[in-house]
Amino acid sequence: LPSAQYVKLITFGYDSFFADLFWFNTINYFGKSLKDTNDFRWLGSMCGLVTELNHDSSEIYGFCANMLSWMAKDYESSIEILTKAISYYPEEWNYYYLRGFTYWYFLSNPKLALEDLKKASEMKDSPASVKKLTSKLIAGTQSIEDTINFLYTMIEQTSDEKAKSALKNRLKEAYLTKYVGIISDGRDKYVDIYGRKPE
């Protein structure tokens, strides 16, 4: 993919129009990858190009950040997209929330996570779930339930059906992780009580 600075040489000022074309291509690429290959290696570059050409679509930032983290596992590109979103929408709590969650859950950086989550929790219209996750992070008691709650929030905020489907699959995996943990704890307690493994 060409970089945005070279694309701008041929857009003749019609950056938004070309951004729409690239965005259509990005959604198409994501859908095919989700269905067939599960290979999202170009998603970060495509999202970066679209958001350089058009800064005004808040939905694009959310889609790209979530799919780069949860599907492409390209956490650094997700952070870049969210940092760009924050620079254009500094009053929007959800970009700080998304970036803070990415720092905490994917990059194991509680210091940067806490900075963003504190900022998000102090902003107007931020839901109680943001404040709850922030307080848990401060106390060091965050759990798989926080991941489940985060995914529910993102699913509610996502309008793209492909992205929503991908997040729902991640939600199922989070529930499986939760229940496997419960079963493992139960097995360990059984061994402690009876001195043998359950059949």
Side-chain angles (χ1 to χ4, degrees):
L1 286 169
S3 67
Q5 69 182 85
Y6 296 120
V7 172
K8 285 184 177 183
L9 294 175
I10 61 167
T11 62
F12 301 109
Y14 294 100
D15 290 359
S16 294
F17 172 74
F18 278 87
D20 288 344
L21 291 179
F22 280 117
W23 181 237
F24 178 78
N25 196 39
T26 301
I27 291 293
N28 203 26
Y29 165 77
F30 176 79
K32 286 181 178 177
S33 297
L34 188 64
K35 183 182 176 185
D36 299 327
T37 63
N38 230 30
D39 180 357
F40 302 97
R41 75 183 75 181
W42 294 107
L43 187 60
S45 298
M46 297 171 98
C47 286
L49 181 57
V50 172
T51 52
E52 276 299 309
L53 291 172
N54 181 10
H55 310 305
D56 298 328
S57 181
S58 57
E59 191 174 299
I60 290 174
Y61 292 113
F63 173 93
C64 286
N66 273 317
M67 294 306 102
L68 283 167
S69 290
W70 291 96
M71 303 306 297
K73 304 189 188 323
D74 186 354
Y75 314 123
E76 297 301 334
S77 291
S78 179
I79 294 292
E80 284 178 23
I81 291 289
L82 290 167
T83 301
K84 192 185 296 184
I86 288 168
S87 71
Y88 291 111
Y89 298 94
E91 302 305 317
E92 295 285 338
W93 64 267
N94 54 315
Y95 298 129
Y96 291 98
Y97 180 51
L98 277 172
R99 192 171 69 174
F101 188 90
T102 303
Y103 277 132
W104 164 61
Y105 187 75
F106 294 110
L107 295 174
S108 302
N109 191 329
K111 182 176 181 293
L112 291 178
L114 195 53
E115 287 177 14
D116 277 343
L117 290 172
K118 272 184 175 179
K119 179 78 174 175
S121 68
E122 292 164 359
M123 297 180 82
K124 186 179 72 173
D125 299 329
S126 68
S129 59
V130 178
K131 296 172 178 63
K132 190 174 180 182
L133 180 58
T134 304
S135 63
K136 284 190 169 189
L137 195 62
I138 291 170
T141 58
Q142 61 275 15
S143 65
I144 189 65
E145 287 292 340
D146 299 314
T147 305
I148 289 170
N149 291 333
F150 172 86
L151 286 165
Y152 269 120
T153 303
M154 290 304 103
I155 288 166
E156 285 175 6
Q157 292 182 348
T158 300
S159 58
D160 183 87
E161 289 304 317
K162 293 188 183 78
K164 193 170 283 194
S165 174
L167 289 172
K168 283 179 178 177
N169 285 334
R170 292 295 172 261
L171 181 61
K172 288 176 186 175
E173 290 174 5
Y175 269 114
L176 283 172
T177 300
K178 174 185 174 180
Y179 294 138
V180 166
I182 291 170
I183 292 168
S184 296
D185 289 344
R187 178 201 58 207
D188 293 344
K189 286 176 184 174
Y190 185 97
V191 171
D192 288 343
I193 293 169
Y194 298 107
R196 58 185 174 83
K197 292 180 180 179
E199 293 179 5

